[in-house]
Short mmCIF file of all heavy atoms in Angstrom, two decimals:
data_model
loop_
_atom_site.label_atom_id
_atom_site.label_comp_id
_atom_site.label_asym_id
_atom_site.label_seq_id
_atom_site.Cartn_x
_atom_site.Cartn_y
_atom_site.Cartn_z
N LEU A 1 131.06 61.37 102.39
CA LEU A 1 130.11 61.91 101.41
C LEU A 1 129.37 63.11 101.98
O LEU A 1 129.08 64.08 101.26
CB LEU A 1 129.13 60.82 100.99
CG LEU A 1 128.18 61.16 99.83
CD1 LEU A 1 128.96 61.57 98.60
CD2 LEU A 1 127.27 59.98 99.51
N VAL A 2 129.05 63.09 103.27
CA VAL A 2 128.45 64.25 103.92
C VAL A 2 129.39 65.45 103.85
O VAL A 2 128.99 66.58 103.55
CB VAL A 2 128.08 63.92 105.38
CG1 VAL A 2 127.66 65.17 106.14
CG2 VAL A 2 126.97 62.89 105.43
N LEU A 3 130.67 65.21 104.12
CA LEU A 3 131.67 66.29 104.02
C LEU A 3 131.76 66.82 102.59
O LEU A 3 131.90 68.04 102.37
CB LEU A 3 133.03 65.76 104.48
CG LEU A 3 134.20 66.76 104.44
CD1 LEU A 3 133.92 67.97 105.32
CD2 LEU A 3 135.49 66.07 104.85
N THR A 4 131.65 65.94 101.61
CA THR A 4 131.67 66.37 100.21
C THR A 4 130.50 67.28 99.90
O THR A 4 130.64 68.32 99.23
CB THR A 4 131.63 65.13 99.28
OG1 THR A 4 132.71 64.27 99.62
CG2 THR A 4 131.74 65.54 97.83
N PHE A 5 129.31 66.92 100.38
CA PHE A 5 128.14 67.76 100.15
C PHE A 5 128.29 69.14 100.79
O PHE A 5 127.89 70.16 100.22
CB PHE A 5 126.89 67.06 100.68
CG PHE A 5 126.46 65.89 99.84
CD1 PHE A 5 125.77 64.82 100.41
CD2 PHE A 5 126.71 65.85 98.48
CE1 PHE A 5 125.37 63.74 99.65
CE2 PHE A 5 126.31 64.77 97.71
CZ PHE A 5 125.64 63.72 98.29
N PHE A 6 128.84 69.18 101.98
CA PHE A 6 129.03 70.46 102.66
C PHE A 6 130.01 71.35 101.88
O PHE A 6 129.79 72.57 101.75
CB PHE A 6 129.53 70.24 104.08
CG PHE A 6 128.42 70.06 105.08
CD1 PHE A 6 128.25 68.84 105.73
CD2 PHE A 6 127.55 71.10 105.38
CE1 PHE A 6 127.23 68.66 106.65
CE2 PHE A 6 126.53 70.92 106.30
CZ PHE A 6 126.37 69.70 106.94
N GLN A 7 131.08 70.78 101.37
CA GLN A 7 132.04 71.57 100.61
C GLN A 7 131.42 72.07 99.30
O GLN A 7 131.66 73.22 98.89
CB GLN A 7 133.29 70.74 100.31
CG GLN A 7 134.00 70.23 101.54
CD GLN A 7 134.33 71.32 102.53
OE1 GLN A 7 134.91 72.35 102.16
NE2 GLN A 7 133.98 71.12 103.79
N ALA A 8 130.61 71.23 98.65
CA ALA A 8 129.93 71.67 97.43
C ALA A 8 128.94 72.79 97.73
O ALA A 8 128.82 73.76 96.96
CB ALA A 8 129.21 70.49 96.77
N ALA A 9 128.24 72.70 98.86
CA ALA A 9 127.33 73.77 99.26
C ALA A 9 128.08 75.08 99.54
O ALA A 9 127.61 76.16 99.18
CB ALA A 9 126.52 73.35 100.48
N ALA A 10 129.26 74.97 100.15
CA ALA A 10 130.06 76.17 100.40
C ALA A 10 130.51 76.81 99.09
O ALA A 10 130.51 78.05 98.96
CB ALA A 10 131.25 75.81 101.27
N ILE A 11 130.88 75.99 98.11
CA ILE A 11 131.28 76.54 96.80
C ILE A 11 130.10 77.22 96.13
O ILE A 11 130.23 78.29 95.51
CB ILE A 11 131.87 75.43 95.92
CG1 ILE A 11 133.21 74.96 96.50
CG2 ILE A 11 132.07 75.90 94.49
CD1 ILE A 11 133.82 73.79 95.76
N TRP A 12 128.92 76.65 96.24
CA TRP A 12 127.74 77.28 95.66
C TRP A 12 127.42 78.60 96.36
O TRP A 12 126.92 79.53 95.72
CB TRP A 12 126.56 76.33 95.73
CG TRP A 12 126.58 75.32 94.62
CD1 TRP A 12 127.39 75.33 93.53
CD2 TRP A 12 125.77 74.16 94.51
NE1 TRP A 12 127.14 74.24 92.74
CE2 TRP A 12 126.14 73.51 93.31
CE3 TRP A 12 124.77 73.61 95.29
CZ2 TRP A 12 125.55 72.34 92.89
CZ3 TRP A 12 124.18 72.43 94.86
CH2 TRP A 12 124.56 71.81 93.68
N LEU A 13 127.67 78.67 97.65
CA LEU A 13 127.48 79.95 98.34
C LEU A 13 128.44 81.01 97.81
O LEU A 13 128.07 82.18 97.67
CB LEU A 13 127.68 79.76 99.84
CG LEU A 13 126.55 79.05 100.60
CD1 LEU A 13 126.94 78.84 102.05
CD2 LEU A 13 125.24 79.85 100.51
N LEU A 14 129.68 80.62 97.52
CA LEU A 14 130.62 81.57 96.94
C LEU A 14 130.18 82.02 95.55
O LEU A 14 130.44 83.16 95.14
CB LEU A 14 132.02 80.94 96.84
CG LEU A 14 132.73 80.66 98.18
CD1 LEU A 14 134.06 79.98 97.93
CD2 LEU A 14 132.93 81.96 98.96
N LEU A 15 129.49 81.14 94.83
CA LEU A 15 128.99 81.49 93.50
C LEU A 15 127.63 82.19 93.55
O LEU A 15 127.00 82.38 92.51
CB LEU A 15 128.89 80.22 92.64
CG LEU A 15 130.20 79.50 92.36
CD1 LEU A 15 129.95 78.22 91.58
CD2 LEU A 15 131.16 80.40 91.59
N LYS A 16 127.16 82.54 94.77
CA LYS A 16 125.89 83.23 94.98
C LYS A 16 124.70 82.40 94.53
O LYS A 16 123.71 82.94 94.03
CB LYS A 16 125.89 84.59 94.27
CG LYS A 16 126.94 85.55 94.82
CD LYS A 16 126.88 86.91 94.13
CE LYS A 16 127.92 87.85 94.70
NZ LYS A 16 127.88 89.18 94.04
N ALA A 17 124.80 81.10 94.70
CA ALA A 17 123.67 80.19 94.45
C ALA A 17 123.17 79.67 95.79
O ALA A 17 123.35 78.50 96.13
CB ALA A 17 124.08 79.06 93.52
N GLU A 18 122.57 80.56 96.56
CA GLU A 18 122.19 80.23 97.93
C GLU A 18 121.10 79.16 97.98
O GLU A 18 121.11 78.28 98.84
CB GLU A 18 121.70 81.48 98.67
CG GLU A 18 122.74 82.58 98.81
CD GLU A 18 122.76 83.49 97.60
OE1 GLU A 18 121.94 83.27 96.69
OE2 GLU A 18 123.60 84.41 97.57
N PHE A 19 120.18 79.22 97.04
CA PHE A 19 119.07 78.26 97.04
C PHE A 19 119.58 76.84 96.81
O PHE A 19 119.17 75.89 97.50
CB PHE A 19 118.06 78.64 95.97
CG PHE A 19 116.91 77.68 95.86
CD1 PHE A 19 115.88 77.69 96.78
CD2 PHE A 19 116.87 76.75 94.83
CE1 PHE A 19 114.83 76.80 96.68
CE2 PHE A 19 115.82 75.85 94.73
CZ PHE A 19 114.80 75.88 95.66
N LEU A 20 120.48 76.68 95.85
CA LEU A 20 121.02 75.34 95.59
C LEU A 20 121.84 74.84 96.77
O LEU A 20 121.81 73.65 97.09
CB LEU A 20 121.88 75.38 94.32
CG LEU A 20 121.15 75.68 93.01
CD1 LEU A 20 122.14 75.74 91.87
CD2 LEU A 20 120.09 74.64 92.73
N ALA A 21 122.59 75.72 97.42
CA ALA A 21 123.40 75.31 98.57
C ALA A 21 122.51 74.83 99.72
O ALA A 21 122.76 73.78 100.32
CB ALA A 21 124.29 76.47 99.01
N ILE A 22 121.47 75.59 100.02
CA ILE A 22 120.57 75.21 101.12
C ILE A 22 119.82 73.92 100.77
O ILE A 22 119.63 73.04 101.61
CB ILE A 22 119.59 76.35 101.42
CG1 ILE A 22 120.37 77.57 101.94
CG2 ILE A 22 118.54 75.92 102.43
CD1 ILE A 22 119.51 78.79 102.15
N THR A 23 119.41 73.79 99.50
CA THR A 23 118.72 72.57 99.08
C THR A 23 119.62 71.35 99.20
O THR A 23 119.19 70.27 99.63
CB THR A 23 118.23 72.72 97.63
OG1 THR A 23 117.40 73.87 97.53
CG2 THR A 23 117.44 71.49 97.20
N LEU A 24 120.89 71.50 98.84
CA LEU A 24 121.83 70.39 98.94
C LEU A 24 122.00 69.94 100.40
O LEU A 24 122.00 68.74 100.69
CB LEU A 24 123.18 70.79 98.36
CG LEU A 24 124.30 69.76 98.42
CD1 LEU A 24 123.92 68.53 97.60
CD2 LEU A 24 125.61 70.33 97.94
N VAL A 25 122.12 70.90 101.30
CA VAL A 25 122.31 70.55 102.71
C VAL A 25 121.05 69.93 103.30
O VAL A 25 121.11 68.91 104.00
CB VAL A 25 122.73 71.80 103.51
CG1 VAL A 25 122.76 71.50 105.00
CG2 VAL A 25 124.10 72.28 103.04
N LEU A 26 119.89 70.50 103.01
CA LEU A 26 118.65 70.02 103.62
C LEU A 26 118.23 68.66 103.05
O LEU A 26 117.84 67.76 103.80
CB LEU A 26 117.53 71.04 103.41
CG LEU A 26 117.67 72.37 104.14
CD1 LEU A 26 116.49 73.28 103.84
CD2 LEU A 26 117.79 72.15 105.65
N VAL A 27 118.30 68.52 101.74
CA VAL A 27 117.78 67.30 101.10
C VAL A 27 118.78 66.15 101.23
O VAL A 27 118.46 65.07 101.74
CB VAL A 27 117.44 67.57 99.63
CG1 VAL A 27 117.01 66.27 98.94
CG2 VAL A 27 116.33 68.60 99.53
#
C-alpha cells in the first residue's frame, strides 16, 4: 500500500498537482 501511494504521488506530479502529491506522501 505504501508503494501504491508513492506511484499515485508520482502520477500526480506528472499531472502538475504537486500539492496533492506531497500531501499524499506526508499524510
